[in-house]
Structures are given as structure tokens and as C-alpha cells.
């Protein structure tokens, strides 16, 4: 096993059966090591050390398998679609939403010049005809451009997944502008127009209309999947689109950033996702703020917002499940009417 461990580390985390055979390990022995949970079979003829593979995140494990797939297929191939999203860090897992998810059961690869589409040995080869300019190097791995990967996924995944993916790309563009000190110059409509042009370049596809709807829903300021689903709910049921990550001036020169706001009726909507009541910890594990302290601070903040004659409502993940969205949208419309009445008093 020591020799296999060195072999895996030398090749970035995986090795082939042929390379193991050169060290004296036969196919039957490799199979026995898999059954003993000492090796993991990434695909036929490709293995990783189980103990090290278990420490990898979903993203890192998939990127490892994709890196091996691109290397085995050879020059002219590049990670694409769902796999490229993870390479570009636009997703950290399968985005397992009620309507669908990313396809991480295989490594997605496209080829410069195009090829026939096929799915074999946990590699999905797409027929997308890439040009040289479509491929970039990410950490030594040939990968399609981030905007192209997003467009590819948006045309072949459900609306909710496409909206989350597009929002992630827009957020990454906004973060890049912030790093360069140009966040105020970030133009979301211009970036959406760029992505629309990429979608147009893919030609007529069955998922083209869904992709454009997903882009209409997407928002660079959404901090979580749940917040994107709030916008999806509004879009599906004709609720006026709210302002996202809206800043409200509080007394004593303080500011509060709320998840969503309809300033015309002074309605604030907060999404209570995972983590809002969990302990806040430093990198070394120390508790910086307990869950109770966070909840108390949140209550005081909400009281301050209400004191400025804003109407505040909260929703949870359960409210955003597909069978609850119509009811949630109706509730938001009712709360808009309540907020408008309170504001007119």
C-alpha cells in the first residue's frame, strides 16, 4: 500500500491500474483492496487511496476525477458543463434542489473541434464543438471558460438550478470587481447581456428558453441558494421583484442590510436559512458569538427596522419547496398590502 500511496500522490491523488501493475499489483489484488475499503475505484481502471479520498469535499473529489478524465483523454479535451462549474468554484456540491441537481455522477468533458456525444466509464463526452479560445487553464486543468460552463449547464438543467448557477457566476464577477476596487462600477445588466450572447452562441437547444428565464431570475447579490429560490418564487407567481441585499439607515449612524425589500411599500423579507442560529466560530474553533447572542442581536436589529415603519416578515426553506411556493407568493402579496396600509397611516 505504501507504494500505491506514493503513486497516487505523485499523480495528484489517483493512479491507473496499468501504473499499479508496473508496481506488481494485479487487477485481482486491486479489487480486493477496493473490497477492503483501502482503495476507491473512481472509474474502471482508475483508483484513489480510500483514506485520503474520504477527506476530500464533494467538489475536490469530483475535480480529482475530472482531472484524471481530461488527462486520460489527451490534448484537445477540456472539463465542461457541470464539472467545469466545480473547477471554477462556482459550485461546491451537486446543488441538490427539489427540482433537480448538477450531474456529478460522471466527469463532463468537451473537445476542441467537437465529437460525438457518449457516456462511458463515468465520463460524459459532449459534442459541443469548442474553439481554442473557449478553453482556459485552471490550476493546470484545461477547462471551458466560466461563462461558457454556466451557459452549458443552464441549457440542460432545471430552471431552479440554472438560476442558482447564473447567480453564482454573477456573484463571482461582482466579487472580482470588489477585489479590484471597482464594485461600484459593476454592471449586472451588462454581465447578463454577455451571458445572453454566450447562450446565443450555443445555437438552438431544447433548454434555451429555460436558460433565458433562469438568467432573468438570477441576481449577483444573492448570498445563498435559498435567496435565489425566493426570487424564483416571485418570478413564477408574478410577485413584483424585490431589491436584494437592501441597506436601511438606522439611528445612531448604523446600517442594516436586509435580504429583500420592496421600498415602495416598505416591506422587508428575511430568509431564515441554515446557520442564522448557529454559533459563529473563529478559524481556530473558538466561539466568537453564540447562537443565542446572534438571535438576540437579530431581534434588536429587527425592532430597529420596525421602528422606522418597515413591515418585516420571515420565510424558511419549507416555504420555498415547490408545493408551497404558490402559497408563499400569495402570502407575500398579502404582506405587501399590509405594509402599504401601515405606511399610509
Amino acid at each position: 500500500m505504501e507504494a500505491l500511496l506514493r503513486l497516487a500522490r505523485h499523480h495528484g491523488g489517483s493512479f491507473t491500474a496499468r501504473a499499479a501493475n508496473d508496481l506488481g499489483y494485479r487487477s485481482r489484488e486491486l479489487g480486493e483492496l477496493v473490497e477492503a475499503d483501502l482503495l476507491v475505484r473512481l472509474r474502471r481502471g482508475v483508483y484513489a487511496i480510500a483514506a485520503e479520498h474520504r477527506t476530500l469535499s464533494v467538489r475536490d473529489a469530483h475535480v480529482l476525477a475530472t482531472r484524471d478524465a481530461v488527462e486520460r483523454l489527451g490534448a484537445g479535451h477540456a472539463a465542461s458543463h457541470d464539472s467545469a462549474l466545480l473547477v471554477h468554484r462556482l459550485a461546491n456540491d451537486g446543488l441538490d434542489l427539489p427540482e433537480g441537481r448538477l450531474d456529478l455522477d460522471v466527469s463532463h468533458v468537451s473537445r476542441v473541434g467537437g465529437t460525438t456525444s457518449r457516456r462511458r466509464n463515468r465520463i460524459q463526452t459532449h459534442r459541443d464543438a469548442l474553439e481554442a479560445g473557449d478553453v482556459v487553464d485552471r490550476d493546470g486543468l484545461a477547462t471551458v471558460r466560466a461563462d461558457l460552463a454556466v451557459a452549458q449547464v443552464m441549457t440542460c438543467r432545471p430552471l431552479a438550478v440554472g438560476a442558482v448557477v447564473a447567480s453564482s457566476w454573477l456573484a463571482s464577477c461582482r466579487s472580482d470587481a470588489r477585489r479590484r476596487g471597482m464594485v461600484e462600477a459593476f454592471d449586472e445588466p451588462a454581465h447578463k447581456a454577455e451571458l445572453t450572447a454566450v447562450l446565443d452562441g450555443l445555437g438552438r437547444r431544447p433548454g434555451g428558453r429555460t436558460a433565458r428565464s433562469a438568467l432573468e431570475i438570477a441576481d449577483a447579490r444573492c448570498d445563498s441558494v435559498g435567496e435565489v429560490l425566493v426570487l424564483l418564487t416571485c418570478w413564477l407567481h408574478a410577485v413584483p421583484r424585490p431589491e436584494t441585499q437592501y441597506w436601511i439607515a438606522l439611528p445612531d449612524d448604523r446600517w442594516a442590510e436586509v435580504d429583500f425589500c420592496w421600498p415602495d411599500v416598505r416591506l422587508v423579507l428575511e430568509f431564515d436559512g441554515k446557520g442564522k442560529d448557529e454559533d459563529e466560530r473563529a478559524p481556530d474553533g473558538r466561539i466568537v458569538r453564540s447562537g443565542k447572542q446572534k438571535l438576540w442581536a437579530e431581534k434588536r436589529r429587527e425592532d430597529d427596522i420596525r421602528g422606522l415603519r418597515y413591515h418585516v416578515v420571515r420565510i424558511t426553506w419549507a416555504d420555498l419547496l415547490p408545493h408551497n411556493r404558490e402559497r408563499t407568493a400569495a402570502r407575500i402579496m398579502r404582506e405587501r398590502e399590509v405594509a402599504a396600509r401601515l405606511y399610509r397611516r
Side-chain angles (χ1 to χ4, degrees), residues 22 58 117-118 134-135 150 163 173 176 193 222 281-282 297-298 322 336:
D22 292 340
V58 171
S117 178
R118 66 181 183 182
D134 293 330
V135 181
V150 170
C173 294
D176 183 61
C222 285
R281 295 180 180 273
E298 183 71 13
R336 278 178 53 85

Side-chain angles (χ1 to χ4, degrees), residues 283-295:
D284 61 3
R286 290 181 299 104
I287 295 178
V288 178
R289 281 200 309 171
S290 69
K292 287 184 178 180
Q293 289 174 318
K294 288 173 65 177
L295 287 173

Side-chain angles (χ1 to χ4, degrees), residues 7-60:
L7 179 64
R9 288 177 175 174
H10 180 72
H11 289 283
S14 65
F15 61 88
T16 64
R18 178 176 296 180
N21 289 342
D22 292 340
L23 295 175
Y25 287 87
R26 298 294 174 254
S27 297
R28 186 180 65 182
E29 294 176 274
L30 294 174
E32 291 172 350
L33 290 172
V34 170
E35 291 181 5
D37 202 26
L38 295 174
L39 294 181
V40 173
R41 185 182 285 110
L42 301 182
R43 63 176 60 89
R44 187 174 64 253
V46 181
Y47 300 86
I49 305 299
E52 297 201 343
H53 193 266
R54 279 193 291 268
T55 66
L56 299 178
S57 64
V58 171
R59 176 202 172 267
D60 291 344

Side-chain angles (χ1 to χ4, degrees), residues 21 37 50-51 55 62 64 152 173-174 206 224 232 238 246 315 334:
N21 289 342
D37 202 26
T55 66
H62 186 79
L64 172 64
Q152 289 172 331
C173 294
R174 186 168 182 264
S224 69
L232 172 66
Y246 188 80
I315 61 173
R334 289 195 303 272

